[in-house]
Amino acid sequence: MPASRRQFMLVLVGLPVGAACGRHQQTPAPAKEQHSSPKPSEAASPSPPPKDPDGLDPALAAHIEHLRARFDPRGWTVVAEPPFAVVGDGTRLQVRGHAMTTIRWAVTQLQAAYFERPPGEIITIYLFETGESYDQHARELFGDPPDTPYGYYSPSDRALVMNIGTGGGTLVHEIVHPYMATNFPDCPSWFDEGLASLYEQSAEIDGEIMGLTNWRLPGLQAALRAKQVPSFQDMCESGGGFYTADPGSNYAQARYLCYWLQERGLLRRYYQEFRAGVQRDPHGYDTLVAMVGPDMSAFRSEWEQFVLALRVG
């Protein structure tokens, strides 16, 4: 990489290939509908609400005060990192560090690349410094054990719950989901997860967020050699089966399709065209064909050769 390129690395470690990112995909559709709002061209342009003395939106400021009243007695730290509220059981320096680096960086980059609007509801990010505290407090605060040791997004709780001790990659992944719910509420699971998974390990290159190769690659390569990876049409049209009928490669396949589009300079264009045409193409497959086809067999062969030539790191 040229020395002139600025790089900010976020790493996710240890998840098994094909693992879900957390509980959010099991939440019923109405949770996404709560986040939906008119497209920018359809929305009115009211004057912005007055800010509190600290410059926060009043609703976020009130939520921060509520969280402080609840969690200050525990010795936890509560900070605002718009558009999110952040709660952590680490030291104040640790929690502020996560907020001012990983969260702020991800928000800045994702908004610049894809998302015009912040999440439609105030989301609280809970950061737990160890696996033990993450498991204990997820059970205590939300009533059931987490289904992943790394972190998850729960729309019904308006919360991202993280074992931040495993690194920042899961956090960046999960931040994508509430943004997607607001800006592209009809997005199918495969693209929601593919884009989120792309940024599990990411860098800022020439001022833009870029996904890097990561731990999902070797498993995908093995599945490709074993002829176990579904067609792109099957993946795009999988619906909820993206999770329930996952042969062990769906997350990786979606991620590395997004990676291929990124490396060809097509990913943001694909997002924009898919979102604009989702009513006629709810799965995104026709948009993909129009962009990389029409010979999808030839494209599949090119993509497989591309993926098999990649290396982690």
Side-chain angles (χ1 to χ4, degrees), residues 67-133:
L67 292 172
R68 285 176 175 158
R70 183 179 182 189
F71 295 118
D72 279 359
R74 296 179 181 234
W76 293 6
T77 297
V78 177
V79 299
E81 187 56 55
F84 299 104
V86 184
V87 177
D89 67 348
T91 67
R92 190 164 187 82
L93 184 62
Q94 286 175 313
V95 177
R96 284 191 174 277
H98 297 313
M100 294 176 67
T101 54
T102 303
I103 297 172
R104 185 175 300 178
W105 179 81
V107 165
T108 300
Q109 293 294 326
L110 291 170
Q111 288 185 166
Y114 301 102
F115 304 126
E116 299 93 347
R117 289 168 289 160
E121 298 174 318
I122 297 173
I123 306 293
T124 303
I125 299 176
Y126 293 85
L127 303 177
F128 299 110
E129 294 293 327
T130 68
E132 292 77 12
S133 67

Side-chain angles (χ1 to χ4, degrees), residues 43-189:
S45 300
S47 300
K51 303 291 184 179
D52 82 334
D54 294 325
L56 296 180
D57 175 87
L60 179 57
H63 186 61
I64 291 293
E65 290 306 309
H66 168 76
L67 292 172
R68 285 176 175 158
R70 183 179 182 189
F71 295 118
D72 279 359
R74 296 179 181 234
W76 293 6
T77 297
V78 177
V79 299
E81 187 56 55
F84 299 104
V86 184
V87 177
D89 67 348
T91 67
R92 190 164 187 82
L93 184 62
Q94 286 175 313
V95 177
R96 284 191 174 277
H98 297 313
M100 294 176 67
T101 54
T102 303
I103 297 172
R104 185 175 300 178
W105 179 81
V107 165
T108 300
Q109 293 294 326
L110 291 170
Q111 288 185 166
Y114 301 102
F115 304 126
E116 299 93 347
R117 289 168 289 160
E121 298 174 318
I122 297 173
I123 306 293
T124 303
I125 299 176
Y126 293 85
L127 303 177
F128 299 110
E129 294 293 327
T130 68
E132 292 77 12
S133 67
Y134 162 71
D135 185 74
Q136 173 190 342
H137 293 120
R139 291 170 184 265
E140 175 191 349
L141 296 174
F142 304 109
D144 56 358
D147 57 8
T148 163
Y150 303 96
Y152 62 90
Y153 168 45
S154 175
S156 60
D157 296 308
R158 303 179 188 177
L160 277 75
V161 187
M162 298 289 120
N163 175 4
I164 197 62
T166 63
T170 309
L171 178 53
V172 178
H173 177 130
E174 299 301 342
I175 285 173
V176 170
H177 293 310
Y179 270 100
M180 191 73 86
T182 293
N183 289 273
F184 191 180
D186 296 320
C187 181
S189 297

Side-chain angles (χ1 to χ4, degrees), residues 8-307:
F8 180 97
M9 191 74 69
L10 295 164
V11 179
L12 170 65
V13 296
L15 277 170
V17 172
C21 66
R23 199 174 308 160
H24 90 278
Q25 74 276 3
Q26 299 170 357
T27 305
K32 281 195 171 184
E33 292 167 3
Q34 294 171 4
H35 292 101
S36 63
S37 55
K39 296 178 181 178
S41 60
E42 300 169 347
S45 300
S47 300
K51 303 291 184 179
D52 82 334
D54 294 325
L56 296 180
D57 175 87
L60 179 57
H63 186 61
I64 291 293
E65 290 306 309
H66 168 76
L67 292 172
R68 285 176 175 158
R70 183 179 182 189
F71 295 118
D72 279 359
R74 296 179 181 234
W76 293 6
T77 297
V78 177
V79 299
E81 187 56 55
F84 299 104
V86 184
V87 177
D89 67 348
T91 67
R92 190 164 187 82
L93 184 62
Q94 286 175 313
V95 177
R96 284 191 174 277
H98 297 313
M100 294 176 67
T101 54
T102 303
I103 297 172
R104 185 175 300 178
W105 179 81
V107 165
T108 300
Q109 293 294 326
L110 291 170
Q111 288 185 166
Y114 301 102
F115 304 126
E116 299 93 347
R117 289 168 289 160
E121 298 174 318
I122 297 173
I123 306 293
T124 303
I125 299 176
Y126 293 85
L127 303 177
F128 299 110
E129 294 293 327
T130 68
E132 292 77 12
S133 67
Y134 162 71
D135 185 74
Q136 173 190 342
H137 293 120
R139 291 170 184 265
E140 175 191 349
L141 296 174
F142 304 109
D144 56 358
D147 57 8
T148 163
Y150 303 96
Y152 62 90
Y153 168 45
S154 175
S156 60
D157 296 308
R158 303 179 188 177
L160 277 75
V161 187
M162 298 289 120
N163 175 4
I164 197 62
T166 63
T170 309
L171 178 53
V172 178
H173 177 130
E174 299 301 342
I175 285 173
V176 170
H177 293 310
Y179 270 100
M180 191 73 86
T182 293
N183 289 273
F184 191 180
D186 296 320
C187 181
S189 297
W190 79 265
F191 188 61
D192 191 13
E193 296 295 356
L195 193 69
S197 295
L198 180 65
Y199 298 124
E200 292 165 341
Q201 186 160 332
S202 52
E204 183 181 319
I205 300 175
D206 292 338
E208 298 182 358
I209 189 170
M210 300 288 286
L212 308 174
T213 57
N214 77 338
W215 56 272
R216 294 190 192 270
L217 178 61
L220 177 60
Q221 291 172 329
L224 285 172
R225 294 187 183 103
K227 308 298 183 185
Q228 295 174 341
V229 179
S231 70
F232 285 125
Q233 183 167 7
D234 286 346
M235 182 193 72
C236 291
E237 297 177 358
S238 59
F242 181 84
Y243 305 108
T244 60
D246 184 1
S249 62
N250 284 359
Y251 271 73
Q253 182 183 11
R255 183 189 200 271
Y256 283 94
L257 175 56
C258 288
Y259 184 83
W260 186 94
L261 291 168
Q262 170 191 272
E263 294 301 287
R264 299 300 187 270
L266 297 172
L267 181 58
R268 295 182 192 182
R269 177 183 153 200
Y270 178 79
Y271 166 82
Q272 293 164 355
E273 293 187 6
F274 181 15
R275 185 178 65 168
V278 70
Q279 296 307 312
R280 60 169 175 75
D281 179 24
H283 309 297
Y285 181 70
D286 291 344
T287 305
L288 181 66
V289 172
M291 189 164 291
V292 305
D295 187 343
M296 291 302 287
S297 177
F299 171 67
R300 175 62 180 241
S301 178
E302 177 187 343
W303 177 79
E304 289 193 8
Q305 292 176 30
F306 168 82
V307 170

